[in-house]
Amino acid sequence: MKTYNWGIIGTGFIGQKLAEALAFVPQSKVYAVASRNIETANIFAEKYNCKAYGTYEELANDPEVDIIHIATPHNLHCENTLMCLNKGKHVLCEKPFAINGKEVRKMIDAAKANNVFLMDALWTRFNPNIIKVKKILDSGILGKVTLLKTDFGERKPYHPENRFFSKELTGGSLIDMGIYPLFVSIFMLGKPTKITATAGIGKTGVDTNTSFVLGYDDDKLAVISSSIVADTESAATIYCEKGHIHMSQYIYAPAKISIKMLDGESEDITEKLVGNIYNYEAVEVIECLEKGKIQSDKMSWEDTLVIIDSLDEIRRQIGLVFDAHDL
Ligand SMILES: NC(=O)c1ccc[n+]([C@@H]2O[C@H](COP(=O)([O-])OP(=O)(O)OC[C@H]3O[C@@H](n4cnc5c(N)ncnc54)[C@H](OP(=O)(O)O)[C@@H]3O)[C@@H](O)[C@H]2O)c1
Protein backbone atom coordinates (compact mmCIF):
# COMPACT_ATOMS: atom_id res chain seq x y z
CA MET A 1 0.00 0.00 0.00
CA LYS A 2 1.41 3.41 -0.99
CA THR A 3 2.43 5.91 1.67
CA TYR A 4 1.79 9.49 0.57
CA ASN A 5 4.50 12.03 1.40
CA TRP A 6 3.00 15.35 2.52
CA GLY A 7 4.90 18.61 2.21
CA ILE A 8 3.76 21.66 4.19
CA ILE A 9 4.37 25.21 2.98
CA GLY A 10 4.27 27.68 5.89
CA THR A 11 5.23 26.86 9.48
CA GLY A 12 2.50 28.78 11.35
CA PHE A 13 -0.64 27.73 13.21
CA ILE A 14 -2.43 25.76 10.53
CA GLY A 15 0.68 24.10 9.07
CA GLN A 16 1.37 22.67 12.53
CA LYS A 17 -2.25 21.56 12.96
CA LEU A 18 -2.10 19.60 9.70
CA ALA A 19 1.23 18.03 10.71
CA GLU A 20 -0.35 16.84 13.98
CA ALA A 21 -3.48 15.63 12.16
CA LEU A 22 -1.53 13.39 9.77
CA ALA A 23 -0.81 10.98 12.64
CA PHE A 24 -4.52 10.03 12.34
CA VAL A 25 -4.55 9.69 8.54
CA PRO A 26 -3.85 6.33 6.87
CA GLN A 27 -1.07 6.08 4.28
CA SER A 28 0.24 9.54 5.25
CA LYS A 29 3.59 10.85 6.37
CA VAL A 30 4.80 14.38 7.25
CA TYR A 31 7.69 14.25 4.80
CA ALA A 32 8.93 17.85 4.49
CA VAL A 33 8.25 21.45 5.43
CA ALA A 34 9.18 24.71 3.74
CA SER A 35 9.61 28.10 5.32
CA ARG A 36 10.80 31.47 4.08
CA ASN A 37 13.86 30.87 6.22
CA ILE A 38 15.69 27.64 6.94
CA GLU A 39 15.99 28.21 10.71
CA THR A 40 12.19 28.26 11.09
CA ALA A 41 11.90 25.21 8.85
CA ASN A 42 14.50 23.37 10.94
CA ILE A 43 12.55 24.01 14.18
CA PHE A 44 9.36 22.64 12.58
CA ALA A 45 11.24 19.70 11.04
CA GLU A 46 12.72 18.72 14.39
CA LYS A 47 9.28 18.79 16.03
CA TYR A 48 7.57 16.74 13.31
CA ASN A 49 10.55 14.61 12.26
CA CYS A 50 10.65 15.66 8.61
CA LYS A 51 12.94 17.28 5.99
CA ALA A 52 13.34 21.07 5.99
CA TYR A 53 13.57 23.52 3.09
CA GLY A 54 14.41 27.23 3.27
CA THR A 55 12.29 28.15 0.22
CA TYR A 56 8.83 27.04 -0.89
CA GLU A 57 10.06 26.22 -4.38
CA GLU A 58 12.68 23.73 -3.16
CA LEU A 59 9.97 21.70 -1.44
CA ALA A 60 7.83 21.72 -4.59
CA ASN A 61 10.88 20.54 -6.60
CA ASP A 62 11.42 17.48 -4.38
CA PRO A 63 10.34 14.45 -6.45
CA GLU A 64 9.48 12.49 -3.28
CA VAL A 65 6.72 14.95 -2.29
CA ASP A 66 3.21 13.79 -3.31
CA ILE A 67 0.82 16.29 -1.69
CA ILE A 68 1.43 19.89 -0.61
CA HIS A 69 -0.55 21.70 2.07
CA ILE A 70 -0.61 25.45 1.42
CA ALA A 71 -0.55 27.01 4.90
CA THR A 72 0.44 30.58 4.06
CA PRO A 73 -1.60 33.81 4.45
CA HIS A 74 -4.65 34.24 2.16
CA ASN A 75 -2.95 36.60 -0.27
CA LEU A 76 -0.39 33.91 -1.21
CA HIS A 77 -2.77 30.97 -1.69
CA CYS A 78 -3.21 31.37 -5.45
CA GLU A 79 0.48 32.05 -6.19
CA ASN A 80 1.77 29.19 -3.97
CA THR A 81 -0.86 26.72 -5.26
CA LEU A 82 -0.13 27.49 -8.91
CA MET A 83 3.59 26.98 -8.32
CA CYS A 84 2.96 23.53 -6.78
CA LEU A 85 0.35 22.39 -9.33
CA ASN A 86 2.63 23.39 -12.20
CA LYS A 87 5.35 21.19 -10.70
CA GLY A 88 2.96 18.25 -10.77
CA LYS A 89 2.07 18.17 -7.06
CA HIS A 90 -1.35 17.46 -5.55
CA VAL A 91 -2.53 20.39 -3.41
CA LEU A 92 -4.69 20.92 -0.33
CA CYS A 93 -4.99 24.72 -0.02
CA GLU A 94 -6.16 26.53 3.12
CA LYS A 95 -9.30 28.62 3.32
CA PRO A 96 -10.10 31.09 1.88
CA PHE A 97 -9.00 29.08 -1.15
CA ALA A 98 -8.03 32.33 -2.89
CA ILE A 99 -9.06 35.98 -2.83
CA ASN A 100 -11.61 35.93 -5.62
CA GLY A 101 -13.28 33.77 -8.26
CA LYS A 102 -10.77 34.85 -10.90
CA GLU A 103 -7.90 33.33 -8.88
CA VAL A 104 -9.85 30.16 -8.04
CA ARG A 105 -10.63 29.56 -11.72
CA LYS A 106 -6.90 29.87 -12.55
CA MET A 107 -6.10 27.30 -9.85
CA ILE A 108 -8.73 24.87 -11.16
CA ASP A 109 -7.45 25.30 -14.73
CA ALA A 110 -3.90 24.52 -13.54
CA ALA A 111 -5.06 21.36 -11.71
CA LYS A 112 -6.82 20.19 -14.88
CA ALA A 113 -3.85 21.06 -17.13
CA ASN A 114 -1.41 19.15 -14.89
CA ASN A 115 -3.90 16.35 -14.08
CA VAL A 116 -3.29 16.71 -10.33
CA PHE A 117 -5.59 16.77 -7.33
CA LEU A 118 -6.72 20.10 -5.86
CA MET A 119 -9.01 20.67 -2.86
CA ASP A 120 -10.15 23.50 -0.61
CA ALA A 121 -9.12 22.88 3.03
CA LEU A 122 -12.49 24.02 4.39
CA TRP A 123 -12.24 21.44 7.18
CA THR A 124 -15.77 22.10 8.45
CA ARG A 125 -17.08 20.21 5.38
CA PHE A 126 -15.55 16.99 6.71
CA ASN A 127 -16.56 17.37 10.37
CA PRO A 128 -18.77 14.35 11.21
CA ASN A 129 -21.05 16.53 13.39
CA ILE A 130 -21.70 18.97 10.54
CA ILE A 131 -22.38 16.04 8.19
CA LYS A 132 -24.81 14.58 10.75
CA VAL A 133 -26.79 17.84 10.90
CA LYS A 134 -27.01 17.91 7.11
CA LYS A 135 -28.33 14.32 7.09
CA ILE A 136 -30.98 15.16 9.71
CA LEU A 137 -32.17 18.17 7.69
CA ASP A 138 -32.24 16.13 4.47
CA SER A 139 -34.19 13.32 6.20
CA GLY A 140 -37.12 15.70 6.69
CA ILE A 141 -37.77 14.61 10.30
CA LEU A 142 -37.73 18.26 11.38
CA GLY A 143 -39.81 19.42 8.43
CA LYS A 144 -38.65 22.27 6.18
CA VAL A 145 -36.02 24.80 7.27
CA THR A 146 -37.64 28.17 8.01
CA LEU A 147 -34.65 30.26 9.19
CA LEU A 148 -30.92 29.81 9.82
CA LYS A 149 -29.00 32.20 12.07
CA THR A 150 -25.23 31.97 12.43
CA ASP A 151 -22.19 34.08 13.19
CA PHE A 152 -18.45 34.00 13.82
CA GLY A 153 -16.88 36.82 15.76
CA GLU A 154 -13.67 37.14 17.74
CA ARG A 155 -12.15 40.35 19.02
CA LYS A 156 -8.65 40.32 17.51
CA PRO A 157 -5.85 42.39 19.10
CA TYR A 158 -5.56 45.49 16.94
CA HIS A 159 -2.44 45.93 14.88
CA PRO A 160 -2.62 47.59 11.47
CA GLU A 161 -0.14 45.11 10.01
CA ASN A 162 -1.54 41.82 11.24
CA ARG A 163 -3.44 39.61 8.81
CA PHE A 164 -6.85 40.46 10.30
CA PHE A 165 -6.52 44.23 9.91
CA SER A 166 -4.06 44.64 7.02
CA LYS A 167 -5.67 45.41 3.68
CA GLU A 168 -2.45 44.43 1.90
CA LEU A 169 -2.69 40.97 3.51
CA THR A 170 -6.37 40.81 2.38
CA GLY A 171 -7.68 41.07 5.93
CA GLY A 172 -11.11 41.76 7.37
CA SER A 173 -13.70 39.60 9.08
CA LEU A 174 -15.51 38.36 5.99
CA ILE A 175 -13.04 36.26 4.06
CA ASP A 176 -11.21 34.98 7.12
CA MET A 177 -14.13 34.26 9.48
CA GLY A 178 -17.41 34.95 7.68
CA ILE A 179 -16.46 32.17 5.27
CA TYR A 180 -17.34 29.56 7.95
CA PRO A 181 -20.96 30.58 8.66
CA LEU A 182 -21.34 31.25 4.91
CA PHE A 183 -20.13 27.72 4.14
CA VAL A 184 -22.35 26.11 6.81
CA SER A 185 -25.39 28.02 5.51
CA ILE A 186 -24.76 27.01 1.90
CA PHE A 187 -23.98 23.41 2.86
CA MET A 188 -27.24 23.15 4.80
CA LEU A 189 -29.58 25.21 2.58
CA GLY A 190 -27.95 25.16 -0.86
CA LYS A 191 -26.84 27.95 -3.19
CA PRO A 192 -28.74 31.17 -2.48
CA THR A 193 -30.69 33.03 -5.13
CA LYS A 194 -30.02 36.42 -3.53
CA ILE A 195 -27.41 37.97 -1.21
CA THR A 196 -27.77 41.25 0.67
CA ALA A 197 -24.81 42.60 2.66
CA THR A 198 -23.63 45.55 4.69
CA ALA A 199 -20.39 46.15 6.62
CA GLY A 200 -18.55 48.38 9.02
CA ILE A 201 -15.22 49.32 7.47
CA GLY A 202 -12.48 50.06 10.02
CA LYS A 203 -9.60 52.53 9.86
CA THR A 204 -7.31 50.14 7.93
CA GLY A 205 -9.90 49.87 5.14
CA VAL A 206 -11.07 46.29 5.82
CA ASP A 207 -14.43 45.10 7.18
CA THR A 208 -14.33 44.81 10.96
CA ASN A 209 -18.00 43.76 11.03
CA THR A 210 -19.98 42.30 8.14
CA SER A 211 -23.58 41.18 8.10
CA PHE A 212 -25.23 39.40 5.19
CA VAL A 213 -28.42 37.56 4.40
CA LEU A 214 -28.83 34.69 1.95
CA GLY A 215 -32.21 34.50 0.24
CA TYR A 216 -33.87 31.51 -1.44
CA ASP A 217 -36.76 30.88 -3.83
CA ASP A 218 -39.05 30.15 -0.87
CA ASP A 219 -39.26 32.43 2.19
CA LYS A 220 -36.40 30.93 4.25
CA LEU A 221 -33.32 33.03 5.00
CA ALA A 222 -29.81 32.53 6.35
CA VAL A 223 -28.88 35.52 8.53
CA ILE A 224 -25.12 35.72 9.04
CA SER A 225 -22.49 37.95 10.63
CA SER A 226 -18.73 38.05 11.11
CA SER A 227 -16.57 40.26 13.29
CA ILE A 228 -12.97 40.90 14.27
CA VAL A 229 -13.98 43.46 16.92
CA ALA A 230 -16.56 41.48 18.94
CA ASP A 231 -16.56 38.09 20.66
CA THR A 232 -19.89 36.74 19.47
CA GLU A 233 -21.64 33.43 20.13
CA SER A 234 -20.02 31.90 17.00
CA ALA A 235 -22.74 29.30 16.79
CA ALA A 236 -25.65 28.38 14.52
CA THR A 237 -29.33 27.65 14.97
CA ILE A 238 -31.34 26.09 12.19
CA TYR A 239 -35.07 26.59 12.77
CA CYS A 240 -37.38 24.08 11.13
CA GLU A 241 -41.15 23.49 11.06
CA LYS A 242 -41.01 20.88 13.87
CA GLY A 243 -38.08 22.06 15.99
CA HIS A 244 -34.57 23.45 15.77
CA ILE A 245 -30.95 22.28 15.73
CA HIS A 246 -28.35 24.25 17.66
CA MET A 247 -24.62 23.99 16.93
CA SER A 248 -22.72 25.56 19.79
CA GLN A 249 -19.43 27.47 19.67
CA TYR A 250 -17.55 27.24 17.37
CA ILE A 251 -19.36 27.20 14.08
CA TYR A 252 -16.30 25.79 12.28
CA ALA A 253 -16.17 22.74 14.60
CA PRO A 254 -19.15 22.76 16.99
CA ALA A 255 -18.51 21.41 20.51
CA LYS A 256 -22.13 20.37 20.94
CA ILE A 257 -25.07 19.68 18.64
CA SER A 258 -28.56 19.53 20.09
CA ILE A 259 -32.06 19.16 18.71
CA LYS A 260 -35.10 20.70 20.41
CA MET A 261 -38.55 19.78 19.18
CA LEU A 262 -41.45 22.26 19.34
CA ASP A 263 -43.04 20.15 22.14
CA GLY A 264 -39.94 20.87 24.29
CA GLU A 265 -38.26 17.46 23.95
CA SER A 266 -34.50 17.85 23.44
CA GLU A 267 -31.55 15.60 22.63
CA ASP A 268 -27.77 16.00 22.51
CA ILE A 269 -26.62 14.32 19.29
CA THR A 270 -22.92 15.26 19.39
CA GLU A 271 -20.57 12.62 17.95
CA LYS A 272 -17.20 11.98 19.61
CA LEU A 273 -14.47 12.85 17.09
CA VAL A 274 -10.93 11.57 16.68
CA GLY A 275 -7.66 13.42 16.19
CA ASN A 276 -7.62 17.22 16.03
CA ILE A 277 -10.47 17.21 13.42
CA TYR A 278 -8.17 18.44 10.60
CA ASN A 279 -7.52 14.74 9.95
CA TYR A 280 -10.95 14.29 8.33
CA GLU A 281 -10.14 16.55 5.36
CA ALA A 282 -6.76 14.84 4.91
CA VAL A 283 -8.46 11.42 4.88
CA GLU A 284 -10.60 12.70 1.99
CA VAL A 285 -7.45 13.73 0.07
CA ILE A 286 -5.98 10.23 0.44
CA GLU A 287 -9.26 8.51 -0.51
CA CYS A 288 -9.52 10.65 -3.66
CA LEU A 289 -5.89 9.98 -4.64
CA GLU A 290 -6.36 6.24 -4.12
CA LYS A 291 -9.29 6.42 -6.56
CA GLY A 292 -7.23 8.45 -9.07
CA LYS A 293 -9.49 11.50 -8.72
CA ILE A 294 -8.32 15.09 -9.23
CA GLN A 295 -11.21 16.65 -7.32
CA SER A 296 -13.35 15.63 -4.36
CA ASP A 297 -17.09 15.06 -4.78
CA LYS A 298 -17.57 16.22 -1.18
CA MET A 299 -15.71 19.54 -1.58
CA SER A 300 -15.80 19.91 -5.35
CA TRP A 301 -14.36 22.80 -7.37
CA GLU A 302 -17.94 23.92 -7.98
CA ASP A 303 -18.58 23.91 -4.19
CA THR A 304 -15.54 26.16 -3.73
CA LEU A 305 -16.68 28.46 -6.55
CA VAL A 306 -20.13 28.90 -4.97
CA ILE A 307 -18.42 30.03 -1.73
CA ILE A 308 -15.86 32.30 -3.37
CA ASP A 309 -18.35 33.84 -5.83
CA SER A 310 -20.64 34.59 -2.85
CA LEU A 311 -17.73 36.26 -1.04
CA ASP A 312 -17.03 38.29 -4.20
CA GLU A 313 -20.66 39.43 -4.32
CA ILE A 314 -20.62 40.41 -0.63
CA ARG A 315 -17.36 42.33 -1.14
CA ARG A 316 -18.86 44.06 -4.18
CA GLN A 317 -21.82 45.21 -2.09
CA ILE A 318 -19.69 46.41 0.86
CA GLY A 319 -17.13 48.07 -1.43
CA LEU A 320 -14.13 46.04 -0.27
CA VAL A 321 -11.55 45.83 -3.08
CA PHE A 322 -8.16 44.12 -2.72
CA ASP A 323 -6.25 46.03 -5.40
CA ALA A 324 -3.43 43.52 -6.03
CA HIS A 325 -5.93 40.71 -6.62
CA ASP A 326 -9.15 42.27 -7.86
CA LEU A 327 -7.92 44.98 -10.26
N1 LIG B 1 -8.61 25.65 8.49
C1 LIG B 1 -8.50 26.33 9.61
O1 LIG B 1 -9.07 26.01 10.64
C2 LIG B 1 -7.61 27.51 9.65
C3 LIG B 1 -7.24 28.01 10.89
C4 LIG B 1 -6.37 29.07 10.89
C5 LIG B 1 -5.93 29.59 9.70
N2 LIG B 1 -6.34 29.09 8.51
C6 LIG B 1 -5.89 29.68 7.25
O2 LIG B 1 -4.53 29.29 7.06
C7 LIG B 1 -3.77 30.39 6.54
C8 LIG B 1 -2.61 30.63 7.48
O3 LIG B 1 -3.12 30.98 8.76
P1 LIG B 1 -2.27 30.73 10.10
O4 LIG B 1 -3.21 31.01 11.22
O5 LIG B 1 -1.57 29.44 10.05
O6 LIG B 1 -1.23 31.93 9.97
P2 LIG B 1 0.23 32.01 10.60
O7 LIG B 1 0.28 31.32 11.90
O8 LIG B 1 0.61 33.45 10.53
O9 LIG B 1 1.13 31.18 9.57
C9 LIG B 1 1.24 31.54 8.22
C10 LIG B 1 2.62 31.12 7.72
O10 LIG B 1 2.74 31.57 6.39
C11 LIG B 1 4.09 31.91 6.11
N3 LIG B 1 4.14 33.25 5.48
C12 LIG B 1 4.54 33.51 4.21
N4 LIG B 1 4.48 34.81 3.94
C13 LIG B 1 4.06 35.42 5.05
C14 LIG B 1 3.81 36.77 5.39
N5 LIG B 1 3.98 37.78 4.52
N6 LIG B 1 3.38 37.05 6.65
C15 LIG B 1 3.18 36.06 7.54
N7 LIG B 1 3.40 34.74 7.27
C16 LIG B 1 3.84 34.42 6.04
C17 LIG B 1 4.82 31.86 7.43
O11 LIG B 1 5.58 30.67 7.42
P3 LIG B 1 7.15 30.73 7.13
O12 LIG B 1 7.68 31.90 7.88
O13 LIG B 1 7.57 29.44 7.67
O14 LIG B 1 7.35 30.86 5.65
C18 LIG B 1 3.75 31.77 8.48
O15 LIG B 1 4.16 31.00 9.59
C19 LIG B 1 -4.74 31.58 6.43
O16 LIG B 1 -5.16 31.73 5.11
C20 LIG B 1 -5.92 31.19 7.31
O17 LIG B 1 -7.17 31.66 6.86
C21 LIG B 1 -7.14 28.05 8.47
Coordinates of all heavy atoms in Angstrom, one line a residue, residues 10-14 34-36 40 56 71-74 76-77 94-96 121 123 163 176 180 278, ligand 1:
G10 N 4.7 26.7 4.8 CA 4.3 27.7 5.9 C 4.3 27.0 7.2 O 3.7 25.9 7.4
T11 N 5.0 27.6 8.2 CA 5.2 26.9 9.5 C 4.4 27.4 10.6 O 4.7 27.2 11.8 CB 6.7 27.0 9.9 OG1 7.0 28.4 9.8 CG2 7.6 26.3 8.9
G12 N 3.3 28.1 10.3 CA 2.5 28.8 11.3 C 1.5 27.9 11.9 O 1.6 26.6 11.9
F13 N 0.4 28.5 12.5 CA -0.6 27.7 13.2 C -1.2 26.5 12.4 O -1.2 25.4 12.9 CB -1.8 28.7 13.6 CG -3.0 28.0 14.2 CD1 -3.0 27.7 15.5 CD2 -4.1 27.7 13.4 CE1 -4.1 27.1 16.1 CE2 -5.2 27.1 13.9 CZ -5.2 26.8 15.3
I14 N -1.7 26.8 11.2 CA -2.4 25.8 10.5 C -1.5 24.7 9.9 O -1.9 23.5 9.8 CB -3.4 26.4 9.5 CG1 -4.5 25.3 9.1 CG2 -2.7 26.9 8.2 CD1 -5.4 25.0 10.2
A34 N 8.4 23.6 4.3 CA 9.2 24.7 3.7 C 8.8 26.0 4.4 O 7.6 26.2 4.7 CB 8.9 24.8 2.2
S35 N 9.8 26.8 4.7 CA 9.6 28.1 5.3 C 10.3 29.1 4.5 O 11.2 28.8 3.7 CB 10.2 28.1 6.7 OG 10.1 29.4 7.3
R36 N 10.0 30.4 4.8 CA 10.8 31.5 4.1 C 12.2 31.5 4.6 O 13.1 32.1 4.0 CB 10.1 32.8 4.3 CG 8.8 33.0 3.5 CD 8.1 34.2 4.1 NE 7.7 34.0 5.5 CZ 7.2 35.0 6.2 NH1 7.0 36.2 5.7 NH2 7.0 34.8 7.5
T40 N 13.6 28.6 10.7 CA 12.2 28.3 11.1 C 11.8 26.9 10.6 O 11.1 26.1 11.3 CB 11.2 29.3 10.5 OG1 11.8 30.6 10.7 CG2 9.9 29.3 11.1
Y56 N 10.0 27.8 -0.5 CA 8.8 27.0 -0.9 C 9.1 26.2 -2.2 O 8.6 25.1 -2.3 CB 7.6 28.0 -1.1 CG 7.2 28.7 0.2 CD1 6.3 29.8 0.1 CD2 7.7 28.4 1.4 CE1 5.9 30.5 1.2 CE2 7.3 29.1 2.6 CZ 6.4 30.2 2.4 OH 6.0 30.9 3.6
A71 N -0.2 26.5 3.6 CA -0.5 27.0 4.9 C 0.0 28.4 5.1 O 0.4 28.8 6.2 CB 0.0 26.1 6.0
T72 N -0.1 29.2 4.0 CA 0.4 30.6 4.1 C -0.7 31.6 4.2 O -1.9 31.1 4.0 CB 1.2 30.9 2.8 OG1 0.4 30.5 1.6 CG2 2.5 30.1 2.7
P73 N -0.5 32.9 4.4 CA -1.6 33.8 4.4 C -2.4 33.8 3.2 O -1.9 33.5 2.1 CB -0.9 35.2 4.7 CG 0.4 34.8 5.3 CD 0.8 33.5 4.7
H74 N -3.7 34.3 3.3 CA -4.6 34.2 2.2 C -4.1 34.8 0.8 O -4.3 34.2 -0.2 CB -5.9 35.1 2.4 CG -6.5 35.2 3.7 ND1 -6.4 34.2 4.6 CD2 -7.3 36.1 4.2 CE1 -7.1 34.5 5.7 NE2 -7.7 35.7 5.5
L76 N -1.4 34.7 -0.5 CA -0.4 33.9 -1.2 C -1.0 32.6 -1.7 O -0.3 31.8 -2.4 CB 0.8 33.6 -0.3 CG 1.6 34.8 0.1 CD1 2.7 34.4 1.1 CD2 2.3 35.5 -1.1
H77 N -2.2 32.3 -1.4 CA -2.8 31.0 -1.7 C -2.7 30.7 -3.2 O -2.3 29.6 -3.6 CB -4.2 30.8 -1.2 CG -4.3 30.7 0.3 ND1 -5.5 30.6 1.0 CD2 -3.3 30.7 1.3 CE1 -5.2 30.6 2.3 NE2 -3.9 30.6 2.5
E94 N -5.4 26.0 2.0 CA -6.2 26.5 3.1 C -7.3 27.5 2.7 O -7.2 28.0 1.6 CB -5.2 27.3 4.1 CG -4.7 26.4 5.2 CD -5.8 25.6 5.9 OE1 -6.9 26.1 6.1 OE2 -5.6 24.4 6.2
K95 N -8.2 27.7 3.5 CA -9.3 28.6 3.3 C -8.8 30.0 3.7 O -8.0 30.1 4.6 CB -10.6 28.3 4.1 CG -10.4 28.0 5.6 CD -9.9 29.0 6.6 CE -10.6 30.3 6.8 NZ -9.9 31.1 7.9
P96 N -9.3 31.1 3.1 CA -10.1 31.1 1.9 C -9.2 30.6 0.7 O -8.0 31.0 0.6 CB -10.5 32.6 1.7 CG -9.4 33.3 2.4 CD -9.0 32.5 3.5
A121 N -9.2 23.4 1.7 CA -9.1 22.9 3.0 C -10.2 23.5 4.0 O -9.8 23.9 5.1 CB -7.7 23.1 3.6
W123 N -12.1 22.7 6.4 CA -12.2 21.4 7.2 C -13.6 21.2 7.7 O -14.0 20.0 8.0 CB -11.2 21.5 8.3 CG -11.4 22.6 9.3 CD1 -11.7 23.9 9.1 CD2 -11.2 22.4 10.7 NE1 -11.7 24.6 10.3 CE2 -11.4 23.7 11.3 CE3 -10.9 21.4 11.6 CZ2 -11.4 23.9 12.7 CZ3 -10.9 21.6 13.0 CH2 -11.1 22.9 13.5
R163 N -2.7 40.1 9.9 CA -3.4 39.6 8.8 C -4.9 39.9 8.9 O -5.6 40.0 7.9 CB -3.2 38.1 8.6 CG -4.1 37.1 9.3 CD -4.1 35.8 8.5 NE -5.3 35.0 9.0 CZ -5.2 34.1 9.8 NH1 -4.1 33.7 10.4 NH2 -6.3 33.4 10.1
D176 N -11.9 35.8 6.2 CA -11.2 35.0 7.1 C -12.2 34.2 8.0 O -12.0 33.0 8.2 CB -10.3 35.8 8.0 CG -9.3 35.0 8.7 OD1 -9.6 34.1 9.5 OD2 -8.1 35.2 8.5
Y180 N -16.8 30.8 7.3 CA -17.3 29.6 7.9 C -18.9 29.6 8.1 O -19.5 28.6 7.6 CB -16.7 29.4 9.3 CG -15.3 28.9 9.3 CD1 -14.2 29.8 9.7 CD2 -15.0 27.6 8.9 CE1 -12.9 29.3 9.7 CE2 -13.6 27.2 8.8 CZ -12.6 28.0 9.2 OH -11.3 27.6 9.2
Y278 N -8.7 18.1 11.9 CA -8.2 18.4 10.6 C -7.9 17.1 9.8 O -7.7 17.1 8.6 CB -6.9 19.3 10.7 CG -7.2 20.7 11.2 CD1 -7.0 21.0 12.6 CD2 -7.7 21.7 10.4 CE1 -7.3 22.2 13.1 CE2 -7.9 22.9 10.9 CZ -7.7 23.2 12.2 OH -8.0 24.5 12.7
Ligands
LIG1 N1 -8.6 25.7 8.5 C1 -8.5 26.3 9.6 O1 -9.1 26.0 10.6 C2 -7.6 27.5 9.6 C3 -7.2 28.0 10.9 C4 -6.4 29.1 10.9 C5 -5.9 29.6 9.7 N2 -6.3 29.1 8.5 C6 -5.9 29.7 7.2 O2 -4.5 29.3 7.1 C7 -3.8 30.4 6.5 C8 -2.6 30.6 7.5 O3 -3.1 31.0 8.8 P1 -2.3 30.7 10.1 O4 -3.2 31.0 11.2 O5 -1.6 29.4 10.0 O6 -1.2 31.9 10.0 P2 0.2 32.0 10.6 O7 0.3 31.3 11.9 O8 0.6 33.4 10.5 O9 1.1 31.2 9.6 C9 1.2 31.5 8.2 C10 2.6 31.1 7.7 O10 2.7 31.6 6.4 C11 4.1 31.9 6.1 N3 4.1 33.3 5.5 C12 4.5 33.5 4.2 N4 4.5 34.8 3.9 C13 4.1 35.4 5.1 C14 3.8 36.8 5.4 N5 4.0 37.8 4.5 N6 3.4 37.1 6.7 C15 3.2 36.1 7.5 N7 3.4 34.7 7.3 C16 3.8 34.4 6.0 C17 4.8 31.9 7.4 O11 5.6 30.7 7.4 P3 7.2 30.7 7.1 O12 7.7 31.9 7.9 O13 7.6 29.4 7.7 O14 7.3 30.9 5.6 C18 3.8 31.8 8.5 O15 4.2 31.0 9.6 C19 -4.7 31.6 6.4 O16 -5.2 31.7 5.1 C20 -5.9 31.2 7.3 O17 -7.2 31.7 6.9 C21 -7.1 28.1 8.5

